[in-house]
Tab-separated table of all heavy atoms in Angstrom:
chain	number	residue	atom	x	y	z
A	895	ILE	N	-31.311	-16.239	-0.601
A	895	ILE	CA	-29.919	-16.583	-0.880
A	895	ILE	C	-29.559	-15.913	-2.204
A	895	ILE	O	-30.229	-16.121	-3.217
A	895	ILE	CB	-29.727	-18.108	-0.964
A	895	ILE	CG1	-30.051	-18.746	0.394
A	895	ILE	CG2	-28.292	-18.454	-1.403
A	895	ILE	CD1	-30.040	-20.267	0.379
A	896	CYS	N	-28.504	-15.090	-2.166
A	896	CYS	CA	-28.123	-14.317	-3.366
A	896	CYS	C	-26.888	-14.872	-4.047
A	896	CYS	O	-26.458	-14.335	-5.071
A	896	CYS	CB	-27.876	-12.863	-2.992
A	896	CYS	SG	-29.302	-12.087	-2.216
A	897	GLY	N	-26.287	-15.896	-3.471
A	897	GLY	CA	-25.100	-16.470	-4.093
A	897	GLY	C	-24.175	-17.103	-3.074
A	897	GLY	O	-24.607	-17.540	-2.004
A	898	LEU	N	-22.903	-17.136	-3.434
A	898	LEU	CA	-21.902	-17.802	-2.600
A	898	LEU	C	-20.768	-16.859	-2.224
A	898	LEU	O	-20.542	-15.839	-2.878
A	898	LEU	CB	-21.290	-18.998	-3.342
A	898	LEU	CG	-22.209	-20.138	-3.801
A	898	LEU	CD1	-21.380	-21.203	-4.524
A	898	LEU	CD2	-22.960	-20.745	-2.632
A	899	MET	N	-20.066	-17.236	-1.162
A	899	MET	CA	-18.896	-16.485	-0.706
A	899	MET	C	-17.816	-17.494	-0.338
A	899	MET	O	-18.124	-18.621	0.072
A	899	MET	CB	-19.322	-15.668	0.523
A	899	MET	CG	-18.225	-14.916	1.236
A	899	MET	SD	-17.471	-15.889	2.566
A	899	MET	CE	-16.544	-14.603	3.397
A	900	GLY	N	-16.564	-17.091	-0.518
A	900	GLY	CA	-15.483	-17.982	-0.112
A	900	GLY	C	-14.202	-17.225	0.157
A	900	GLY	O	-14.015	-16.097	-0.321
A	901	MET	N	-13.354	-17.828	0.967
A	901	MET	CA	-12.039	-17.257	1.266
A	901	MET	C	-10.962	-18.255	0.871
A	901	MET	O	-11.006	-19.412	1.281
A	901	MET	CB	-11.911	-16.973	2.765
A	901	MET	CG	-12.780	-15.822	3.227
A	901	MET	SD	-12.789	-15.686	5.029
A	901	MET	CE	-11.317	-14.689	5.266
A	902	ALA	N	-10.004	-17.776	0.094
A	902	ALA	CA	-8.924	-18.649	-0.353
A	902	ALA	C	-7.886	-18.819	0.758
A	902	ALA	O	-7.855	-18.064	1.729
A	902	ALA	CB	-8.260	-18.058	-1.591
A	903	THR	N	-7.044	-19.804	0.588
A	903	THR	CA	-5.929	-20.016	1.508
A	903	THR	C	-5.045	-18.774	1.530
A	903	THR	O	-4.832	-18.143	0.492
A	903	THR	CB	-5.087	-21.224	1.025
A	903	THR	OG1	-5.960	-22.342	0.852
A	903	THR	CG2	-4.001	-21.582	2.007
A	904	PHE	N	-4.551	-18.428	2.713
A	904	PHE	CA	-3.644	-17.290	2.837
A	904	PHE	C	-2.235	-17.785	2.476
A	904	PHE	O	-1.542	-18.383	3.277
A	904	PHE	CB	-3.688	-16.743	4.265
A	904	PHE	CG	-2.880	-15.497	4.428
A	904	PHE	CD1	-3.306	-14.309	3.847
A	904	PHE	CD2	-1.696	-15.499	5.151
A	904	PHE	CE1	-2.557	-13.140	3.984
A	904	PHE	CE2	-0.938	-14.335	5.295
A	904	PHE	CZ	-1.371	-13.157	4.708
A	905	THR	N	-1.849	-17.550	1.227
A	905	THR	CA	-0.570	-18.081	0.743
A	905	THR	C	-0.060	-17.225	-0.413
A	905	THR	O	-0.834	-16.523	-1.064
A	905	THR	CB	-0.753	-19.534	0.242
A	905	THR	OG1	0.449	-19.973	-0.396
A	905	THR	CG2	-1.881	-19.655	-0.788
A	906	ASP	N	1.237	-17.277	-0.658
A	906	ASP	CA	1.828	-16.593	-1.805
A	906	ASP	C	1.690	-17.414	-3.083
A	906	ASP	O	2.024	-16.955	-4.167
A	906	ASP	CB	3.330	-16.349	-1.574
A	906	ASP	CG	3.555	-15.283	-0.528
A	906	ASP	OD1	2.642	-14.458	-0.324
A	906	ASP	OD2	4.641	-15.276	0.085
A	907	ASP	N	1.222	-18.632	-2.919
A	907	ASP	CA	1.113	-19.540	-4.059
A	907	ASP	C	-0.121	-19.170	-4.884
A	907	ASP	O	-1.240	-19.606	-4.596
A	907	ASP	CB	1.003	-20.973	-3.511
A	907	ASP	CG	0.916	-22.010	-4.622
A	907	ASP	OD1	0.822	-21.623	-5.808
A	907	ASP	OD2	0.941	-23.211	-4.291
A	908	SER	N	0.083	-18.351	-5.922
A	908	SER	CA	-1.074	-17.838	-6.655
A	908	SER	C	-1.782	-18.952	-7.430
A	908	SER	O	-2.992	-18.852	-7.688
A	908	SER	CB	-0.683	-16.686	-7.573
A	908	SER	OG	0.283	-17.091	-8.487
A	909	ALA	N	-1.071	-20.006	-7.774
A	909	ALA	CA	-1.722	-21.117	-8.471
A	909	ALA	C	-2.749	-21.778	-7.555
A	909	ALA	O	-3.856	-22.140	-7.983
A	909	ALA	CB	-0.682	-22.135	-8.929
A	910	GLN	N	-2.381	-21.884	-6.306
A	910	GLN	CA	-3.289	-22.464	-5.312
A	910	GLN	C	-4.560	-21.601	-5.158
A	910	GLN	O	-5.686	-22.094	-5.204
A	910	GLN	CB	-2.541	-22.559	-3.960
A	910	GLN	CG	-3.391	-22.964	-2.766
A	910	GLN	CD	-3.770	-24.428	-2.822
A	910	GLN	OE1	-3.039	-25.240	-3.391
A	910	GLN	NE2	-4.917	-24.756	-2.271
A	911	VAL	N	-4.339	-20.299	-5.008
A	911	VAL	CA	-5.454	-19.360	-4.839
A	911	VAL	C	-6.347	-19.381	-6.084
A	911	VAL	O	-7.575	-19.427	-5.984
A	911	VAL	CB	-4.923	-17.940	-4.548
A	911	VAL	CG1	-6.043	-16.925	-4.525
A	911	VAL	CG2	-4.158	-17.924	-3.220
A	912	THR	N	-5.723	-19.389	-7.243
A	912	THR	CA	-6.477	-19.439	-8.508
A	912	THR	C	-7.388	-20.664	-8.541
A	912	THR	O	-8.572	-20.572	-8.872
A	912	THR	CB	-5.507	-19.508	-9.711
A	912	THR	OG1	-4.676	-18.352	-9.674
A	912	THR	CG2	-6.249	-19.564	-11.034
A	913	GLN	N	-6.816	-21.788	-8.156
A	913	GLN	CA	-7.567	-23.040	-8.190
A	913	GLN	C	-8.762	-22.990	-7.233
A	913	GLN	O	-9.859	-23.459	-7.559
A	913	GLN	CB	-6.596	-24.151	-7.799
A	913	GLN	CG	-7.122	-25.556	-7.877
A	913	GLN	CD	-6.227	-26.475	-7.042
A	913	GLN	OE1	-4.994	-26.398	-7.109
A	913	GLN	NE2	-6.840	-27.328	-6.240
A	914	GLU	N	-8.574	-22.378	-6.068
A	914	GLU	CA	-9.662	-22.316	-5.089
A	914	GLU	C	-10.792	-21.397	-5.569
A	914	GLU	O	-11.972	-21.739	-5.451
A	914	GLU	CB	-9.109	-21.870	-3.726
A	914	GLU	CG	-8.202	-22.938	-3.135
A	914	GLU	CD	-7.446	-22.496	-1.892
A	914	GLU	OE1	-7.591	-21.336	-1.452
A	914	GLU	OE2	-6.688	-23.333	-1.351
A	915	PHE	N	-10.423	-20.250	-6.119
A	915	PHE	CA	-11.452	-19.340	-6.630
A	915	PHE	C	-12.177	-19.948	-7.837
A	915	PHE	O	-13.373	-19.780	-8.014
A	915	PHE	CB	-10.855	-17.982	-7.000
A	915	PHE	CG	-10.513	-17.117	-5.806
A	915	PHE	CD1	-9.415	-16.264	-5.841
A	915	PHE	CD2	-11.295	-17.139	-4.657
A	915	PHE	CE1	-9.102	-15.448	-4.758
A	915	PHE	CE2	-10.997	-16.324	-3.563
A	915	PHE	CZ	-9.895	-15.477	-3.613
A	916	LYS	N	-11.419	-20.636	-8.647
A	916	LYS	CA	-12.019	-21.319	-9.809
A	916	LYS	C	-13.073	-22.318	-9.337
A	916	LYS	O	-14.165	-22.405	-9.905
A	916	LYS	CB	-10.909	-22.057	-10.572
A	916	LYS	CG	-11.034	-22.002	-12.084
A	916	LYS	CD	-9.968	-22.856	-12.751
A	916	LYS	CE	-8.823	-22.082	-13.379
A	916	LYS	NZ	-9.198	-20.986	-14.270
A	917	ALA	N	-12.735	-23.045	-8.289
A	917	ALA	CA	-13.670	-24.040	-7.750
A	917	ALA	C	-14.941	-23.352	-7.258
A	917	ALA	O	-16.055	-23.803	-7.543
A	917	ALA	CB	-13.011	-24.821	-6.619
A	918	LEU	N	-14.778	-22.238	-6.558
A	918	LEU	CA	-15.955	-21.530	-6.040
A	918	LEU	C	-16.852	-21.058	-7.189
A	918	LEU	O	-18.068	-21.238	-7.165
A	918	LEU	CB	-15.519	-20.344	-5.168
A	918	LEU	CG	-16.653	-19.533	-4.532
A	918	LEU	CD1	-17.506	-20.390	-3.606
A	918	LEU	CD2	-16.093	-18.354	-3.755
A	919	ARG	N	-16.238	-20.473	-8.205
A	919	ARG	CA	-17.027	-19.970	-9.329
A	919	ARG	C	-17.730	-21.113	-10.074
A	919	ARG	O	-18.854	-20.978	-10.543
A	919	ARG	CB	-16.126	-19.160	-10.275
A	919	ARG	CG	-16.837	-18.574	-11.464
A	919	ARG	CD	-17.895	-17.538	-11.068
A	919	ARG	NE	-18.969	-17.466	-12.043
A	919	ARG	CZ	-19.677	-16.387	-12.341
A	919	ARG	NH1	-19.443	-15.246	-11.718
A	919	ARG	NH2	-20.628	-16.415	-13.221
A	920	LYS	N	-17.049	-22.240	-10.120
A	920	LYS	CA	-17.644	-23.395	-10.781
A	920	LYS	C	-18.902	-23.845	-10.033
A	920	LYS	O	-19.944	-24.097	-10.637
A	920	LYS	CB	-16.622	-24.528	-10.842
A	920	LYS	CG	-17.046	-25.706	-11.679
A	920	LYS	CD	-15.898	-26.676	-11.904
A	920	LYS	CE	-16.341	-28.089	-11.561
A	920	LYS	NZ	-15.221	-28.949	-11.152
A	921	PHE	N	-18.799	-23.924	-8.703
A	921	PHE	CA	-19.968	-24.318	-7.910
A	921	PHE	C	-21.067	-23.271	-8.022
A	921	PHE	O	-22.233	-23.603	-8.088
A	921	PHE	CB	-19.581	-24.545	-6.448
A	921	PHE	CG	-18.648	-25.698	-6.294
A	921	PHE	CD1	-17.419	-25.541	-5.666
A	921	PHE	CD2	-18.971	-26.952	-6.795
A	921	PHE	CE1	-16.545	-26.600	-5.550
A	921	PHE	CE2	-18.096	-28.024	-6.682
A	921	PHE	CZ	-16.872	-27.847	-6.058
A	922	PHE	N	-20.653	-22.015	-8.047
A	922	PHE	CA	-21.633	-20.933	-8.192
A	922	PHE	C	-22.449	-21.155	-9.466
A	922	PHE	O	-23.678	-21.105	-9.460
A	922	PHE	CB	-20.897	-19.588	-8.235
A	922	PHE	CG	-21.793	-18.403	-8.429
A	922	PHE	CD1	-22.380	-17.764	-7.338
A	922	PHE	CD2	-22.058	-17.904	-9.698
A	922	PHE	CE1	-23.215	-16.673	-7.507
A	922	PHE	CE2	-22.890	-16.805	-9.879
A	922	PHE	CZ	-23.470	-16.186	-8.784
A	923	ASP	N	-21.755	-21.407	-10.563
A	923	ASP	CA	-22.456	-21.592	-11.838
A	923	ASP	C	-23.305	-22.868	-11.824
A	923	ASP	O	-24.387	-22.899	-12.386
A	923	ASP	CB	-21.454	-21.636	-12.994
A	923	ASP	CG	-20.816	-20.268	-13.236
A	923	ASP	OD1	-21.472	-19.250	-12.947
A	923	ASP	OD2	-19.655	-20.218	-13.690
A	924	ARG	N	-22.808	-23.876	-11.155
A	924	ARG	CA	-23.539	-25.133	-11.148
A	924	ARG	C	-24.826	-25.037	-10.325
A	924	ARG	O	-25.865	-25.555	-10.704
A	924	ARG	CB	-22.661	-26.254	-10.592
A	924	ARG	CG	-23.469	-27.539	-10.537
A	924	ARG	CD	-22.796	-28.778	-10.010
A	924	ARG	NE	-21.419	-28.964	-10.382
A	924	ARG	CZ	-20.590	-29.709	-9.648
A	924	ARG	NH1	-21.008	-30.290	-8.545
A	924	ARG	NH2	-19.339	-29.860	-10.021
A	925	TYR	N	-24.729	-24.388	-9.152
A	925	TYR	CA	-25.883	-24.357	-8.248
A	925	TYR	C	-26.820	-23.190	-8.493
A	925	TYR	O	-27.916	-23.171	-7.947
A	925	TYR	CB	-25.402	-24.288	-6.790
A	925	TYR	CG	-24.744	-25.555	-6.303
A	925	TYR	CD1	-23.426	-25.557	-5.874
A	925	TYR	CD2	-25.463	-26.746	-6.264
A	925	TYR	CE1	-22.824	-26.717	-5.419
A	925	TYR	CE2	-24.868	-27.914	-5.815
A	925	TYR	CZ	-23.543	-27.890	-5.388
A	925	TYR	OH	-22.954	-29.032	-4.940
A	926	ASN	N	-26.380	-22.227	-9.263
A	926	ASN	CA	-27.186	-21.018	-9.439
A	926	ASN	C	-28.578	-21.346	-9.971
A	926	ASN	O	-28.731	-21.814	-11.093
A	926	ASN	CB	-26.477	-20.071	-10.421
A	926	ASN	CG	-27.132	-18.700	-10.458
A	926	ASN	OD1	-28.214	-18.521	-9.899
A	926	ASN	ND2	-26.475	-17.755	-11.096
A	927	PRO	N	-29.612	-21.101	-9.142
A	927	PRO	CA	-30.964	-21.407	-9.601
A	927	PRO	C	-31.467	-20.387	-10.622
A	927	PRO	O	-32.590	-20.497	-11.105
A	927	PRO	CB	-31.794	-21.356	-8.315
A	927	PRO	CG	-31.004	-20.573	-7.335
A	927	PRO	CD	-29.575	-20.540	-7.775
A	928	GLY	N	-30.652	-19.432	-10.952
A	928	GLY	CA	-31.026	-18.448	-11.961
A	928	GLY	C	-30.978	-17.024	-11.437
A	928	GLY	O	-30.584	-16.110	-12.136
A	929	HIS	N	-31.352	-16.864	-10.164
A	929	HIS	CA	-31.423	-15.508	-9.617
A	929	HIS	C	-30.189	-15.127	-8.791
A	929	HIS	O	-30.091	-14.015	-8.304
A	929	HIS	CB	-32.689	-15.343	-8.766
A	929	HIS	CG	-32.712	-16.252	-7.577
A	929	HIS	ND1	-33.328	-17.477	-7.597
A	929	HIS	CD2	-32.163	-16.135	-6.360
A	929	HIS	CE1	-33.161	-18.070	-6.427
A	929	HIS	NE2	-32.453	-17.287	-5.664
A	930	TRP	N	-29.273	-16.027	-8.603
A	930	TRP	CA	-28.057	-15.676	-7.858
A	930	TRP	C	-27.271	-14.641	-8.648
A	930	TRP	O	-27.069	-14.803	-9.862
A	930	TRP	CB	-27.175	-16.892	-7.659
A	930	TRP	CG	-27.635	-17.826	-6.587
A	930	TRP	CD1	-28.810	-17.768	-5.884
A	930	TRP	CD2	-26.910	-18.965	-6.098
A	930	TRP	NE1	-28.851	-18.810	-4.989
A	930	TRP	CE2	-27.713	-19.554	-5.103
A	930	TRP	CE3	-25.677	-19.541	-6.427
A	930	TRP	CZ2	-27.307	-20.700	-4.411
A	930	TRP	CZ3	-25.274	-20.670	-5.735
A	930	TRP	CH2	-26.084	-21.248	-4.733
A	931	ASN	N	-26.839	-13.592	-7.943
A	931	ASN	CA	-26.068	-12.565	-8.642
A	931	ASN	C	-24.762	-12.211	-7.941
A	931	ASN	O	-24.051	-11.320	-8.385
A	931	ASN	CB	-26.934	-11.303	-8.826
A	931	ASN	CG	-27.470	-10.791	-7.500
A	931	ASN	OD1	-26.970	-11.161	-6.445
A	931	ASN	ND2	-28.472	-9.937	-7.549
A	932	THR	N	-24.469	-12.887	-6.823
A	932	THR	CA	-23.283	-12.485	-6.070
A	932	THR	C	-22.352	-13.650	-5.797
A	932	THR	O	-22.730	-14.633	-5.159
A	932	THR	CB	-23.696	-11.819	-4.732
A	932	THR	OG1	-24.641	-10.783	-5.007
A	932	THR	CG2	-22.486	-11.224	-4.032
A	933	CYS	N	-21.135	-13.520	-6.315
A	933	CYS	CA	-20.082	-14.486	-6.024
A	933	CYS	C	-18.996	-13.674	-5.307
A	933	CYS	O	-18.195	-12.984	-5.941
A	933	CYS	CB	-19.557	-15.111	-7.313
A	933	CYS	SG	-18.316	-16.385	-7.050
A	934	SER	N	-19.051	-13.701	-3.963
A	934	SER	CA	-18.207	-12.838	-3.130
A	934	SER	C	-16.861	-13.512	-2.876
A	934	SER	O	-16.754	-14.442	-2.088
A	934	SER	CB	-18.943	-12.548	-1.810
A	934	SER	OG	-18.099	-11.957	-0.844
A	935	MET	N	-15.838	-13.055	-3.589
A	935	MET	CA	-14.499	-13.593	-3.361
A	935	MET	C	-13.447	-12.553	-3.721
A	935	MET	O	-13.626	-11.785	-4.661
A	935	MET	CB	-14.286	-14.917	-4.113
A	935	MET	CG	-14.499	-14.890	-5.621
A	935	MET	SD	-14.427	-16.584	-6.314
A	935	MET	CE	-14.153	-16.214	-8.059
A	936	GLY	N	-12.374	-12.520	-2.926
A	936	GLY	CA	-11.293	-11.577	-3.155
A	936	GLY	C	-11.168	-10.575	-2.025
A	936	GLY	O	-12.152	-9.960	-1.617
A	937	MET	N	-9.934	-10.459	-1.494
A	937	MET	CA	-9.607	-9.520	-0.428
A	937	MET	C	-8.384	-8.718	-0.879
A	937	MET	O	-7.973	-8.821	-2.039
A	937	MET	CB	-9.312	-10.285	0.879
A	937	MET	CG	-10.387	-11.295	1.159
A	937	MET	SD	-10.275	-12.347	2.642
A	937	MET	CE	-9.066	-11.638	3.688
A	938	SER	N	-7.800	-7.928	0.029
A	938	SER	CA	-6.678	-7.063	-0.380
A	938	SER	C	-5.576	-7.805	-1.121
A	938	SER	O	-5.053	-7.318	-2.117
A	938	SER	CB	-6.072	-6.369	0.846
A	938	SER	OG	-6.996	-5.450	1.371
A	939	GLY	N	-5.232	-8.985	-0.627
A	939	GLY	CA	-4.080	-9.691	-1.181
A	939	GLY	C	-4.369	-10.524	-2.412
A	939	GLY	O	-3.426	-10.929	-3.114
A	940	ASP	N	-5.644	-10.801	-2.666
A	940	ASP	CA	-5.916	-11.747	-3.763
A	940	ASP	C	-7.063	-11.318	-4.686
A	940	ASP	O	-7.558	-12.124	-5.465
A	940	ASP	CB	-6.173	-13.157	-3.187
A	940	ASP	CG	-7.329	-13.200	-2.189
A	940	ASP	OD1	-8.140	-12.254	-2.157
A	940	ASP	OD2	-7.425	-14.200	-1.446
A	941	TRP	N	-7.470	-10.063	-4.614
A	941	TRP	CA	-8.656	-9.681	-5.399
A	941	TRP	C	-8.410	-9.723	-6.896
A	941	TRP	O	-9.340	-10.000	-7.664
A	941	TRP	CB	-9.205	-8.320	-4.968
A	941	TRP	CG	-8.352	-7.128	-5.254
A	941	TRP	CD1	-7.482	-6.535	-4.390
A	941	TRP	CD2	-8.290	-6.362	-6.466
A	941	TRP	NE1	-6.866	-5.462	-4.995
A	941	TRP	CE2	-7.350	-5.335	-6.266
A	941	TRP	CE3	-8.930	-6.449	-7.705
A	941	TRP	CZ2	-7.036	-4.405	-7.272
A	941	TRP	CZ3	-8.620	-5.524	-8.693
A	941	TRP	CH2	-7.683	-4.515	-8.472
A	942	HIS	N	-7.148	-9.461	-7.333
A	942	HIS	CA	-6.874	-9.536	-8.786
A	942	HIS	C	-7.201	-10.934	-9.318
A	942	HIS	O	-7.840	-11.079	-10.356
A	942	HIS	CB	-5.389	-9.260	-9.084
A	942	HIS	CG	-5.007	-7.826	-8.933
A	942	HIS	ND1	-4.424	-7.319	-7.792
A	942	HIS	CD2	-5.127	-6.788	-9.780
A	942	HIS	CE1	-4.204	-6.030	-7.953
A	942	HIS	NE2	-4.615	-5.674	-9.153
A	943	ILE	N	-6.752	-11.915	-8.560
A	943	ILE	CA	-6.986	-13.305	-8.974
A	943	ILE	C	-8.480	-13.601	-8.935
A	943	ILE	O	-9.041	-14.184	-9.862
A	943	ILE	CB	-6.226	-14.293	-8.051
A	943	ILE	CG1	-4.715	-13.991	-8.069
A	943	ILE	CG2	-6.491	-15.741	-8.453
A	943	ILE	CD1	-3.897	-14.846	-7.110
A	944	ALA	N	-9.141	-13.159	-7.855
A	944	ALA	CA	-10.576	-13.427	-7.695
A	944	ALA	C	-11.375	-12.838	-8.863
A	944	ALA	O	-12.276	-13.488	-9.403
A	944	ALA	CB	-11.071	-12.861	-6.366
A	945	VAL	N	-11.025	-11.623	-9.254
A	945	VAL	CA	-11.747	-10.975	-10.359
A	945	VAL	C	-11.520	-11.748	-11.659
A	945	VAL	O	-12.450	-12.006	-12.422
A	945	VAL	CB	-11.336	-9.492	-10.485
A	945	VAL	CG1	-11.819	-8.886	-11.790
A	945	VAL	CG2	-11.879	-8.693	-9.301
A	946	ASP	N	-10.276	-12.163	-11.874
A	946	ASP	CA	-9.988	-12.970	-13.074
A	946	ASP	C	-10.795	-14.263	-13.085
A	946	ASP	O	-11.140	-14.779	-14.144
A	946	ASP	CB	-8.497	-13.339	-13.139
A	946	ASP	CG	-7.639	-12.168	-13.580
A	946	ASP	OD1	-8.201	-11.161	-14.061
A	946	ASP	OD2	-6.399	-12.250	-13.424
A	947	GLU	N	-11.082	-14.778	-11.890
A	947	GLU	CA	-11.787	-16.065	-11.803
A	947	GLU	C	-13.298	-15.913	-11.695
A	947	GLU	O	-14.005	-16.886	-11.441
A	947	GLU	CB	-11.237	-16.898	-10.643
A	947	GLU	CG	-9.766	-17.305	-10.811
A	947	GLU	CD	-9.482	-17.986	-12.157
A	947	GLU	OE1	-10.366	-18.690	-12.678
A	947	GLU	OE2	-8.374	-17.797	-12.688
A	948	GLY	N	-13.798	-14.689	-11.823
A	948	GLY	CA	-15.250	-14.520	-11.905
A	948	GLY	C	-15.931	-13.969	-10.662
A	948	GLY	O	-17.147	-14.114	-10.506
A	949	SER	N	-15.179	-13.318	-9.784
A	949	SER	CA	-15.803	-12.664	-8.630
A	949	SER	C	-16.759	-11.572	-9.116
A	949	SER	O	-16.498	-10.907	-10.120
A	949	SER	CB	-14.719	-12.031	-7.754
A	949	SER	OG	-15.302	-11.210	-6.765
Side-chain angles (χ1 to χ4, degrees):
I895 297 174
C896 302
L898 300 179
M899 174 269 193
M901 290 171 86
T903 307
F904 185 70
T905 172
D906 289 337
D907 181 354
S908 59
Q910 172 72 28
V911 174
T912 301
Q913 185 198 315
E914 292 171 359
F915 285 146
K916 219 185 255 310
L918 181 61
R919 181 64 208 211
K920 189 170 130 206
F921 295 124
F922 178 88
D923 290 331
R924 177 180 322 156
Y925 290 119
N926 190 350
H929 62 266
W930 283 7
N931 56 17
T932 308
C933 183
S934 168
M935 57 188 198
M937 311 180 15
S938 292
D940 58 17
W941 67 264
H942 287 97
I943 302 176
V945 167
D946 284 347
E947 296 308 327
S949 170

